[in-house]
Amino acid sequence: MAKKEKDDSSLYKVIELVGTSKVSWADAAKNAVKSASKTLRDVRVAEVTKLDVKVGDGGAMTFRAKMKLSFKYQG
């Protein structure tokens, strides 16, 4: 009996996110992935594309991590 071949092809969608934190860029990236994972299934890769800091009144800083996040597309 012939063995059925498994189809390993998949489709992924990429979205852009901006995570924020008062602590660090790493924490900002983690916050974005954690938040997105609440509503997206099969999150695969997060690519940080830009890091910046928003400076507010009195020198308060907000770290921002802009990123592309890919997840498996369920059509």
Side-chain angles (χ1 to χ4, degrees), residues 11-17 40 45-47 49 67-73:
L11 179 64
Y12 297 90
K13 181 165 179 70
V14 178
I15 60 173
E16 292 184 306
L17 301 170
L40 301 174
V45 175
E47 175 189 358
T49 57
M67 58 181 37
K68 292 181 180 180
L69 184 79
S70 68
F71 58 95
K72 197 168 187 179
Y73 182 72

Side-chain angles (χ1 to χ4, degrees), residues 11-40:
L11 179 64
Y12 297 90
K13 181 165 179 70
V14 178
I15 60 173
E16 292 184 306
L17 301 170
V18 179
T20 62
S21 170
K22 298 287 184 187
V23 178
S24 68
W25 284 302
D27 199 43
K30 183 175 75 173
N31 289 343
V33 172
K34 186 177 178 180
S35 182
S37 295
K38 291 178 184 176
T39 56
L40 301 174

